Amino acid sequence: MSEAVLSQISGPVLRARRRGDFFINEAVAIGERRLLGEVIRIEGEEIVVQVYEDTSGLRPGVPVIGSELPLAIRVGPALLGRIFDGLLRPLSMDIGYYVRPGLSELAPCTFYFEPQVEVGHVLPHGGVFGRILADSAREQRALLAPNIGGRVISIAPSGDIRDDEMVCELETESGERHRVAVSHYWSVRKGRPVAERLLAEQPLLTGQRILDSLFPVARGGKAALPGGFGTGKTVLQESLAKWCDADVIVYVGCGERGNEMAGVLHEFPELEDPRTGRPLMERTVIIANTSNMPVAAREASIYTGLTVAEYFRDQGLHVALMADSTSRWAEALREVSGRLGELPGEGGYPAYLSSRLADFYERAARVTTLGGDEGSLTLIGAVSPPSGDFSEPVTTHTKRYVRCFWALDQSRAQSRFFPAVHPLTSYSEDVEDLTPWWEREGNTEWPRIRRRFLTLVEQQAHIERMARIIGKDALPPKQRLTLLAAELVSDGFLRQSSFSLTDRYCSPARQTAMMRLIDRFITLAEKAVEQEIDIERIQKMAILRRLRRMGEELGDNQLAHYKLLGTRLEAEFAHLVGEAGRAG
């Protein structure tokens, strides 16, 4: 065990004279309180350490003890349903109202273990050797660490075990033996290996129409959620956490204000999982690192969340990680970089900001695990650009690495439009890959209708600028119809009420029915205008009101009513055209 003596400290960065060998990314304990740190630079006889806790009271001469291990966290069955800090140390009222320095990791928990292998069985690296049963609805698997595999020499029988208790012994081909528990340590800086990366074939369904139908993200994909203050990033991420069809949610509150994070911590334990009827927390892990916590720990919290998410992915589960927000994480990089005296890049951020963002989003994937199962990790990172400026460095670099860009708009948010995703500044590169999935779901016209909706919204922006000058009444009938159709798309399809029990979630089948009805209305309205039917008569049609309100009035269990609505739509237009013919 190596030791060093602290010689200089500046905020979360300290320098120490070493008396032994250290290596980069080695975890160290500092002082009597054993504050956690990580070696980030070695300069001759001096090491530079990044400290993940409050450094108040540290002084020259304090010992720095090396662990000879990288900064790692213990992953296992005890993670689900719990709240941790940025280094996966539990946060609960058991520790009091304040986070104490040197806070220890999660205490061992007891679970029912059931072996799934026998003596003599050969396990691959990262293979499954048992299953874990708990009081929660989620059954978990006992995994080997990705760097361990071999022939089973002994295995514990079924029964209650602690998650740190050795239950299986393996022998490698070289004769080396390993004793393993149902939990294990893994470095937060190192991605967990997989057998194969797979192509995107299925969307991560969110229940939000503007996302699923216009800007879908694939399972194993990556999306950015940029928006200025007050645009609803946190609210939308909470909605995604509740309604998306992921098996496990990892929510990382990275550098957000304490009151926002307190709201998340208060609300999540009370939410009900709409798929099972049980508490949503049973399939959720929350990592809380607020803006008043040590800045270095904020930087590590992103990697902690990634490691937890990859652990559940390796169990053959579909995982969604919500990071709120990557801008605060980048600010932590900037502060630590400044303490190290590194040359700043654009906006004062370090020159390696782009590569760090690339490393983060690269860990999203749909994969075949080492155990042979299929799993996925979808990353959704919120971005908080100052003053809503999307040209700032974090946003521009993020756009290079994500395939979905859900841009939140201040004016839409202020007009109580939810989700406040702007359809003209947002995009999705997963559309082509996901078209076959929508066709299999029965929506063979999805690409065409999607393009039509986006074209209408774009035309609306151009025509409204003209209408401000000459007035709407002076516009030609076709342009007035374009405005009417675009308003129907926005109000009847893109807008969704998170307070409505019916409309807060919309299934793909209901989205398909709504898209077809609106598309058919626009087609019939265009034919009516071509027959010189006055646009005011179309605006006064009773069916138009029903189309605007169908999201809140007709739920997923009323799909047959959408067919009746379609029949009524055809009848009203036939009546309108007939009246115009008789009048002519």
Side-chain angles (χ1 to χ4, degrees):
M1 184 178 295
S2 301
E3 185 176 341
V5 178
L6 193 154
S7 59
Q8 179 183 336
I9 185 166
S10 174
V13 177
L14 65 83
R15 296 175 180 269
R17 296 185 302 275
R18 63 188 181 94
R19 298 174 180 173
D21 294 331
F22 289 82
F23 61 87
I24 297 295
N25 294 336
E26 180 177 357
V28 298
I30 303 148
E32 296 180 356
R33 295 180 295 174
R34 300 189 63 81
L35 304 181
L36 180 62
E38 180 184 17
V39 178
I40 56 175
R41 186 181 294 175
I42 299 176
E43 300 173 345
E45 297 301 312
E46 190 176 63
I47 60 172
V48 180
V49 176
Q50 181 173 255
V51 187
Y52 293 114
E53 303 187 58
D54 184 9
T55 58
S56 300
L58 290 182
R59 62 190 186 281
V62 169
V64 178
I65 309 299
S67 66
E68 301 182 355
L69 296 171
L71 180 65
I73 58 174
R74 181 159 63 95
V75 291
L79 298 178
L80 279 183
R82 294 180 180 270
I83 302 169
F84 301 91
D85 74 350
L87 297 169
L88 210 68
R89 298 176 299 190
L91 297 178
S92 67
M93 289 307 299
D94 296 338
I95 66 172
Y97 289 99
Y98 302 99
V99 178
R100 298 192 306 272
L103 185 66
S104 60
E105 64 181 18
L106 183 66
C109 301
T110 301
F111 299 92
Y112 185 83
F113 170 73
E114 187 176 285
Q116 293 186 311
V117 295
E118 298 178 350
V119 174
H121 189 95
V122 177
L123 285 171
H125 288 65
V128 178
F129 63 91
R131 63 175 186 159
I132 307 296
L133 303 177
D135 294 335
S136 66
R138 170 65 61 193
E139 177 184 308
Q140 298 188 58
R141 297 179 177 182
L143 296 179
L144 296 176
N147 57 352
I148 294 179
R151 183 173 60 88
V152 176
I153 297 176
S154 66
I155 185 77
S158 299
D160 291 335
I161 54 99
R162 295 193 322 178
D163 59 349
D164 64 343
E165 183 180 338
M166 302 302 166
V167 295
C168 181
E169 187 173 5
L170 303 172
E171 184 178 47
T172 64
E173 293 182 355
S174 61
E176 185 180 359
R177 294 194 172 190
H178 296 278
R179 299 178 68 223
V180 297
V182 296
S183 63
H184 59 266
Y185 285 88
W186 190 257
S187 171
V188 298
R189 306 283 182 185
K190 183 179 179 182
R192 294 172 67 96
V194 298
E196 183 184 8
R197 284 180 170 243
L198 305 174
L199 296 175
E201 293 181 349
Q202 182 175 344
L204 178 76
L205 297 174
T206 66
Q208 306 298 314
R209 290 187 289 270
I210 191 170
L211 303 184
D212 291 344
S213 293
L214 296 192
F215 309 109
V217 60
R219 269 186 175 174
K222 41 216 171 192
L225 190 63
F229 175 76
T231 53
K233 296 185 298 297
T234 302
V235 174
L236 183 53
Q237 283 204 322
E238 288 182 24
S239 297
L240 298 181
K242 182 175 183 180
W243 294 107
C244 76
D245 64 342
D247 299 315
V248 173
I249 302 296
V250 179
Y251 187 95
V252 183
C254 176
E256 285 302 292
R257 289 170 291 276
N259 59 341
E260 286 191 7
M261 202 65 224
V264 173
L265 300 182
H266 175 73
E267 183 179 355
F268 262 65
E270 298 178 355
L271 293 178
E272 179 183 291
D273 188 344
R275 297 192 297 175
T276 64
R278 296 178 64 89
L280 183 65
M281 277 298 295
E282 288 186 349
R283 63 179 182 98
T284 303
V285 180
I286 296 180
I287 296 174
N289 196 268
T290 54
S291 56
N292 62 332
M293 289 183 174
V295 66
R298 186 189 311 172
E299 185 264 344
S301 64
I302 288 286
Y303 299 105
T304 299
L306 278 172
T307 304
V308 171
E310 288 177 338
Y311 166 74
F312 287 109
R313 178 206 65 192
D314 289 350
Q315 294 196 31
L317 301 174
H318 299 290
V319 185
L321 185 146
M322 318 288 178
D324 188 11
S325 75
T326 55
S327 292
R328 306 288 177 255
W329 169 68
E331 289 169 4
L333 288 177
R334 180 171 61 186
E335 180 168 337
V336 173
S337 173
R339 300 280 185 179
L340 292 171
E342 297 172 340
L343 289 175
E346 185 182 2
Y349 292 101
Y352 48 78
L353 171 64
S354 179
S355 62
R356 291 288 181 89
L357 283 168
D359 291 342
F360 169 66
Y361 285 108
E362 177 64 21
R363 290 169 76 167
R366 173 175 167 258
V367 304
T368 299
T369 68
L370 296 177
D373 300 305
E374 179 187 318
S376 69
L377 170 55
T378 307
L379 295 183
I380 302 175
V383 185
S384 306
S387 303
D389 179 16
F390 287 1
S391 65
E392 59 89 35
V394 179
T395 308
T396 53
H397 287 309
T398 298
K399 291 178 72 174
R400 298 168 57 188
Y401 307 118
V402 300
R403 292 181 61 84
C404 291
F405 191 76
W406 299 331
L408 296 175
D409 181 67
Q410 187 80 40
S411 61
R412 291 171 83 87
Q414 289 175 348
S415 63
R416 300 296 186 265
F417 194 104
F418 181 84
V421 176
H422 200 294
L424 299 184
T425 52
S426 304
Y427 62 83
S428 170
E429 297 176 7
D430 290 330
V431 170
E432 186 175 344
D433 296 333
L434 300 177
T435 297
W437 183 88
W438 279 100
E439 291 176 347
R440 290 193 299 271
E441 292 294 310
N443 193 350
T444 56
E445 296 182 297
W446 176 68
R448 180 190 65 80
I449 301 177
R450 175 184 176 273
R451 284 195 301 271
R452 186 176 203 177
F453 284 6
L454 290 175
T455 301
L456 282 170
V457 175
E458 184 177 8
Q459 291 174 344
Q460 179 190 27
H462 293 296
I463 296 173
E464 282 183 341
R465 285 197 291 268
M466 187 187 306
R468 292 191 192 102
I469 300 173
I470 64 175
K472 284 187 178 182
D473 294 338
L475 294 173
K478 286 188 177 181
Q479 290 187 346
R480 293 173 65 189
L481 177 60
T482 298
L483 291 179
L484 175 64
E487 289 172 1
L488 175 59
V489 170
S490 293
D491 294 337
F493 190 77
L494 303 185
R495 185 193 295 268
Q496 220 166 321
S497 174
S498 58
F499 296 104
S500 170
L501 296 177
T502 302
D503 202 34
R504 59 187 180 183
Y505 173 83
C506 190
S507 68
R510 184 151 68 103
Q511 293 182 42
T512 296
M514 295 174 69
M515 290 181 78
R516 285 175 172 167
L517 280 173
I518 294 175
D519 177 65
R520 183 59 179 164
F521 174 88
I522 297 170
T523 299
L524 293 174
E526 287 175 345
K527 292 180 180 178
V529 170
E530 289 174 0
Q531 297 177 16
E532 299 185 351
I533 295 176
D534 195 352
I535 190 68
E536 277 80 6
R537 299 184 65 184
I538 298 176
Q539 291 175 332
K540 294 177 181 178
M541 294 178 67
I543 192 66
L544 187 58
R545 183 263 173 199
R546 293 296 308 276
L547 293 178
R548 291 180 187 273
R549 300 284 299 173
M550 60 181 171
E552 294 188 41
E553 293 178 350
L554 301 177
D556 286 300
N557 59 346
Q558 297 174 295
L559 294 180
H561 288 69
Y562 284 94
K563 294 183 179 180
L564 297 176
L565 201 58
T567 303
R568 180 176 171 182
L569 171 66
E570 300 285 347
E572 285 199 24
F573 266 102
H575 180 71
L576 181 66
V577 172
E579 278 189 344
R582 289 191 295 271

